[in-house]
Every structure is written in structure tokens, then in C-alpha cells.
Amino acid sequence: MNLSEYIRNIENFPKSGVNFKDITPLLANSDAVEHCLQQLLALVGGKKIDKVAAIESRGFFFGTLLAQKLNAGFVPIRKPGKLPYKTLKEPYQLEYGLDALEIHEDAIKKGERVLLHDDVLATGGTARAACNLIEQLGGEIVQCNFLLELEFLNGTKKLSSHSVKSLLKY
Ligand code: AMP
């Protein structure tokens, strides 16, 4: 199965000049979801994972499935103001301005082995901020994995201290 056939390109969304990678055709096909999940699990190999942390919101789709298959807990990393308990917050740079991510302060225990997952690695700023949160809680990042990576944006550079894997490269 060629997973790229299930990724739809939307030009100039959400703003001019962005080629948005729409994963909803993939999500709409259970065979493609199963294939994608197995491929993501193959990236992890036999490594022991205690927690799968995933980034709001498109990281949650495969993040929860991965956690279940890896017998790991799932940890949501969310935009500010969404998580109800005590949080840590990490700001990060956008093209214009700042955004931030939050994690519950009890979501990861010191020394736990964490897989970070999101749908798309672009400039890497979002994933870097998520890694910083995980590390502030004492988590050990085993791998960062993505459905797809936009190589021309060099996101792996921001994550150079970690193992970064993706299923598709553009
Ligand atoms: P970045 O911080 O630049 O690596 O952006 C990554 C975040 O933005 C991920 O959570 C993606 O879901 C989203 N994103 C960035 N670029 C795209 C794109 N071209 N298509 C779909 N999602 C994207």
C-alpha cells in the first residue's frame, strides 16, 4: 500500500503559500489506518516505551493507537488553556509571533521512556517545544516519529539531539 495516495495536498491552506498535507483521506480508510499504524510501530522497533506523548490535535489520532499497541500510557500535549489540571507551559516561535504548548505536570514520571508523535514535521518548532516539556518532567525521549516530514524546512535540525523518523518525506 502506498500511503502517499491517502494524503491530500491542499494548496494555500490555511494561508497563501502553504501546501497543507491533509490526512483525512487516510483516516477515512481503515485499511490505510492499520497499514500506517503497523509502519509507525515498525519505526519504533522493539524499543520499550512507557508513554506516548502526542501533539494537539492531529497527533492524537495515531498517538492513542500507538500507545495502546505499545502497552504505553497516552499523554496529550495541548494548546494553552485546554488541560484542566496543573500544567507546564513552553512557548515557541511561529513564523509571525509566539504560540505555546502545555502538558500536565504529572503526565510523565522521571526516567520514563517517551515516544513523541505528531502528524507532520515542518520547521520543527512545535516538536521541539513538546520535547522540552517532556524533558522538563524528566522523561527520556526514545524517538520522535511523524507520518510525514517536509524535508525542505529542516525540522530535524531542531530535534538533532533525538532520533527522528517519519513514514513519508516530501
Ligand atoms: P512546525 O512547528 O513548523 O514543525 O509545524 C508542525 C505543526 O504544524 C504540526 O502539528 C502539523 O500538524 C502542523 N503543520 C505544519 N505544516 C503543515 C502542513 N504543510 N500540512 C499539515 N500540517 C502542518
Side-chain angles (χ1 to χ4, degrees):
M1 181 182 284
N2 183 357
L3 282 178
S4 65
E5 289 171 10
Y6 295 88
I7 310 288
R8 182 162 53 192
N9 291 300
I10 311 281
E11 295 293 344
N12 299 315
F13 181 88
K15 59 182 181 182
S16 178
V18 176
N19 178 7
F20 190 85
K21 301 294 184 191
D22 175 20
I23 64 167
T24 60
L26 195 165
L27 296 173
N29 184 302
S30 67
D31 289 339
V33 168
E34 179 60 24
H35 184 77
C36 187
L37 179 58
Q38 293 306 326
Q39 301 258 77
L40 286 168
L41 288 167
L43 294 181
V44 182
K47 296 182 196 76
K48 181 183 173 314
I49 303 292
D50 298 309
K51 295 278 167 63
V52 177
I55 302 169
E56 180 176 359
S57 59
R58 290 183 296 278
F60 292 177
F61 300 127
F62 283 96
T64 49
L65 295 174
L66 279 167
Q68 196 60 29
K69 291 282 185 195
L70 291 165
N71 295 315
F74 175 76
V75 174
I77 295 180
R78 301 203 63 182
K79 293 287 168 64
K82 302 283 189 183
L83 289 169
Y85 185 59
K86 293 178 208 157
T87 55
L88 290 187
K89 184 177 196 160
E90 179 77 9
Y92 63 98
Q93 193 74 42
L94 292 176
E95 198 178 348
Y96 299 105
L98 276 181
D99 207 343
L101 289 174
E102 292 184 348
I103 193 168
H104 273 153
E105 64 177 28
D106 63 351
I108 291 165
K109 292 181 185 63
K110 206 170 178 349
E112 279 191 321
R113 293 169 57 82
V114 181
L115 170 68
L116 176 71
H117 170 78
D118 200 3
D119 64 334
V120 173
L121 175 64
T123 66
T126 311
R128 180 69 258 172
C131 286
N132 291 349
L133 287 170
I134 293 163
E135 288 176 331
Q136 280 173 60
L137 292 178
E140 181 196 327
I141 296 164
V142 176
Q143 181 181 99
C144 304
N145 78 31
F146 304 88
L147 301 185
L148 60 98
E149 177 182 335
L150 305 177
E151 281 188 302
F152 60 97
L153 293 173
N154 290 318
T156 51
K157 272 200 183 146
K158 284 213 179 74
L159 303 174
S160 57
S161 44
H162 301 301
S163 163
V164 179
K165 307 239 182 222
S166 46
L167 295 182
L168 299 168
K169 294 185 189 207
Y170 289 83

